[in-house]
Amino acid sequence: MEPLIREARPEDKSFIEEIARLTWGGEDYLARVFDEWLKDGGFYVLELDGKVIGTAKMTLLPGKVGWLEGLRVHPNYQGRGYGRKLHGFMLELGERLAREGKIEALEFATYFLNRESIAMAKRDGFSTTAKFFNLGAKVSAFEPEEPAMIEPSLEDLTLGVIPAGWKFLRRSAESLEWLKAKAKFYDINGFRFLVPKGEATFTPLDVGLATLKATLPGMAWVARERGREEFDIMLPSGVKPLLPGLRRLGLFLWDETKEPNVLVFRKKLV
């Protein structure tokens, strides 16, 4: 039977949970965001013989960006072209939305070792527009300190490209409003950071060793409140000279590398 790509439905949840359980050692976020993605729309599954074996999601971001995420194929069905089929479907969806004036570009982010996604991106005309370091940290490495929640202003968005977990937005008033709805902003010791609601990947709004040393206890506090033993920090590629110092602060890279391990890709459609 030919595989069918269709919009996700509530009854697909058990299939999605199975895929998440078998991805990234069970650390995949897909099961956690299933209900939210279902409500948001743009969430698709690939069904084969009555079983959901793949997923893909397009989220509309500020600046008329169609953000591609959540492309997964059940491990038992990988290597058969299903990932490519889902990717092609999402590209066609992006082209249609561009013709309707709803988006102007497609973007996505991926880990630097995800060679298959990177190869597909290059084949399909995507180019790298930003690079980041995603570093890990253990809550137990710090003395958590409660930060103050704040109402952010555009001046707080000091980066040209702002990470919100594994989504990346260009600095604008529209992006600020999106972030206010999707993330929480905090202040500790005069320094600020943001983190998407329910997640544990933090974005410092001031980048530097002294700044990070001052903010890490606040990030650890928020991560602990969210039931996490570990958390991540997304930093722009310009921090490369600071890597030795960042390690001394208790941060680590999952795979030893001296180059940015998160790549942001973009394909202009109009």
Side-chain angles (χ1 to χ4, degrees), residues 63-113:
K64 291 194 171 183
V65 168
W67 185 264
L68 302 175
E69 55 189 331
L71 197 152
R72 305 281 189 277
V73 174
H74 191 291
N76 292 350
Y77 296 87
Q78 290 176 4
R80 305 187 199 179
Y82 294 129
R84 179 69 192 172
K85 190 175 185 68
L86 275 165
H87 182 68
F89 174 86
M90 299 306 283
L91 291 183
E92 290 175 9
L93 174 63
E95 295 284 357
R96 177 169 62 80
L97 293 176
R99 289 193 297 270
E100 295 172 358
K102 294 178 180 176
I103 66 172
E104 295 180 353
L106 290 172
E107 295 186 4
F108 75 97
T110 192
Y111 196 53
F112 79 124
L113 293 179

Side-chain angles (χ1 to χ4, degrees), residues 174-194:
E174 186 187 1
S175 292
L176 176 64
E177 293 307 309
W178 189 94
L179 288 165
K180 284 181 180 179
K182 303 289 186 179
K184 292 184 180 296
F185 288 72
Y186 295 90
D187 182 289
I188 182 169
N189 300 316
F191 300 110
R192 299 181 168 191
F193 61 89
L194 71 85

Side-chain angles (χ1 to χ4, degrees), residues 4-12 34 37-47 52 54 56 89 93 96:
L4 167 70
I5 297 177
R6 58 168 175 79
E7 289 192 28
R9 299 192 288 251
E11 57 266 30
D12 297 328
F34 179 85
W37 280 11
L38 205 61
K39 182 180 178 182
D40 186 53
F43 186 19
Y44 295 88
V45 299
L46 187 148
E47 180 183 315
V52 169
F89 174 86
L93 174 63
R96 177 169 62 80

Side-chain angles (χ1 to χ4, degrees), residues 13-268:
K13 190 169 188 176
S14 61
F15 294 113
I16 305 301
E17 289 173 338
E18 180 181 346
I19 293 172
R21 193 168 58 249
L22 297 171
T23 303
W24 299 342
E27 295 294 320
D28 193 1
Y29 62 85
L30 221 58
R32 291 200 305 272
V33 300
F34 179 85
D35 294 330
E36 179 189 339
W37 280 11
L38 205 61
K39 182 180 178 182
D40 186 53
F43 186 19
Y44 295 88
V45 299
L46 187 148
E47 180 183 315
L48 182 67
D49 297 331
K51 178 182 176 68
V52 169
I53 63 165
T55 67
K57 171 79 164 74
M58 183 184 294
T59 301
L60 300 183
L61 293 185
K64 291 194 171 183
V65 168
W67 185 264
L68 302 175
E69 55 189 331
L71 197 152
R72 305 281 189 277
V73 174
H74 191 291
N76 292 350
Y77 296 87
Q78 290 176 4
R80 305 187 199 179
Y82 294 129
R84 179 69 192 172
K85 190 175 185 68
L86 275 165
H87 182 68
F89 174 86
M90 299 306 283
L91 291 183
E92 290 175 9
L93 174 63
E95 295 284 357
R96 177 169 62 80
L97 293 176
R99 289 193 297 270
E100 295 172 358
K102 294 178 180 176
I103 66 172
E104 295 180 353
L106 290 172
E107 295 186 4
F108 75 97
T110 192
Y111 196 53
F112 79 124
L113 293 179
N114 194 342
R115 294 181 178 87
E116 187 176 351
S117 289
I118 293 170
M120 276 199 300
K122 290 179 177 178
R123 278 199 306 267
D124 292 325
F126 285 81
S127 57
T128 308
T129 60
K131 299 179 181 180
F132 286 80
F133 284 98
N134 186 47
L135 295 104
K138 295 183 182 296
V139 170
S140 59
F142 308 95
E143 292 186 16
E145 180 182 342
E146 183 175 3
M149 202 177 300
I150 61 165
E151 181 73 11
S153 67
L154 192 56
E155 286 68 36
D156 289 313
L157 303 184
T158 53
L159 302 172
V161 177
I162 303 102
W166 278 69
K167 293 184 180 72
F168 295 81
L169 296 85
R170 281 168 174 71
R171 184 182 185 275
S172 68
E174 186 187 1
S175 292
L176 176 64
E177 293 307 309
W178 189 94
L179 288 165
K180 284 181 180 179
K182 303 289 186 179
K184 292 184 180 296
F185 288 72
Y186 295 90
D187 182 289
I188 182 169
N189 300 316
F191 300 110
R192 299 181 168 191
F193 61 89
L194 71 85
V195 59
K197 294 176 181 177
E199 296 187 28
T201 298
F202 294 81
T203 298
L205 297 174
D206 298 282
V207 178
L209 291 178
T211 300
L212 286 169
K213 185 175 181 180
T215 53
L216 281 166
M219 295 177 190
W221 188 92
V222 175
R224 187 181 66 184
E225 288 296 297
R226 295 182 178 184
R228 308 297 180 88
E229 295 180 357
E230 297 183 349
F231 60 97
D232 293 331
I233 300 173
M234 199 71 74
L235 296 171
S237 58
V239 304
K240 181 178 176 179
L242 304 180
L243 287 179
L246 294 172
R247 289 191 176 92
R248 288 194 294 271
L249 291 179
L251 305 181
F252 56 86
L253 290 161
W254 295 106
D255 295 279
E256 282 305 315
T257 174
K258 295 180 180 178
E259 298 303 319
N261 56 5
V262 178
L263 308 178
V264 183
F265 286 91
R266 178 179 174 90
K267 179 180 183 180
K268 194 166 183 179

